[in-house]
Amino acid sequence: MRITAVQGDITEQDVDAVVNAANSALLGGGGVDGAIHRRGGADILEACKKLRAGDYPDGLPVGQAVATTAGKLPARWVIHTVGPTYAASEDRSELLASCFRESLKVADTLGARTLAFPAISTGVYRYPLDEAADIAVRAVHDTATDVDVVRFVLFDNGSYEAFNTAIRRHE
């Protein structure tokens, strides 16, 4: 598997699936989640509402992943995952790593070969960027998958640099 980092907009990625840093409600929000819902359109929201009405009446648990259509995005699917909120008093790194492992498992069930990830939990969930990048890259690197290309798509230069450093460390 090839793991890369690019600075850009995840909603513009021409990949099989994009990963959404969702909230447990699956009904849109801010940051990456809001951008994916806005750009992808109403089809994504409708698919998320069906998930809430079916298998996830209480929302998607932290560290789990589920797929929907990508609506108007260039990708075919959106894989929604809920990252943990950072807490200095509690090690939540396993929950963060689970987001990446579970997303890769979902990608495999879909037959996705190219996947774009954001920097999960580093925004309003306050996970320290360098630590989150290391956890993310290690989890992807260590997960057995049929995905050929994993692209971390980072919005700002600081995130891009942190993920590039983590990728070099795990080569």
Side-chain angles (χ1 to χ4, degrees):
M1 169 184 8
R2 190 177 60 167
I3 302 172
T4 63
V6 298
Q7 190 171 347
D9 182 343
I10 199 163
T11 68
E12 296 175 352
Q13 299 302 304
D14 187 10
V15 291
D16 294 331
V18 296
V19 176
N20 180 18
N23 61 53
S24 63
L26 294 174
L27 302 177
V32 169
D33 193 18
I36 285 174
H37 275 268
R38 279 189 303 278
R39 175 99 187 263
D43 290 346
I44 297 173
L45 181 59
E46 287 307 311
C48 286
K49 286 180 180 178
K50 287 179 184 172
L51 288 170
R52 287 298 306 272
D55 292 340
Y56 301 99
D58 299 322
L60 185 65
V62 173
Q64 297 301 305
V66 65
T68 65
T69 179
K72 297 176 184 173
L73 296 175
R76 186 168 177 190
W77 300 285
V78 173
I79 299 173
H80 306 268
T81 190
V82 181
T85 300
Y86 180 76
S89 62
E90 180 183 349
D91 181 4
R92 296 184 178 167
S93 59
E94 185 54 35
L95 285 170
L96 183 56
S98 180
C99 292
F100 295 93
R101 287 192 304 266
E102 294 300 314
S103 294
L104 287 166
K105 285 180 189 175
V106 170
D108 283 344
T109 65
L110 297 169
R113 295 293 180 259
T114 55
L115 189 59
F117 279 105
I120 297 169
S121 287
T122 62
V124 297
Y125 289 3
R126 303 181 315 278
Y127 225 99
L129 185 55
D130 291 335
E131 187 177 343
D134 192 62
I135 291 166
V137 172
R138 185 176 345 109
V140 167
H141 184 269
D142 293 348
T143 301
T145 181
D146 291 327
V147 173
D148 296 322
V149 175
V150 168
R151 182 181 309 148
F152 289 99
V153 182
L154 299 315
F155 193 71
D156 60 68
N157 193 57
S159 299
Y160 172 73
E161 292 299 329
F163 274 79
N164 261 334
T165 298
I167 289 167
R168 284 192 301 272
R169 191 170 27 251
H170 292 282
E171 285 180 333

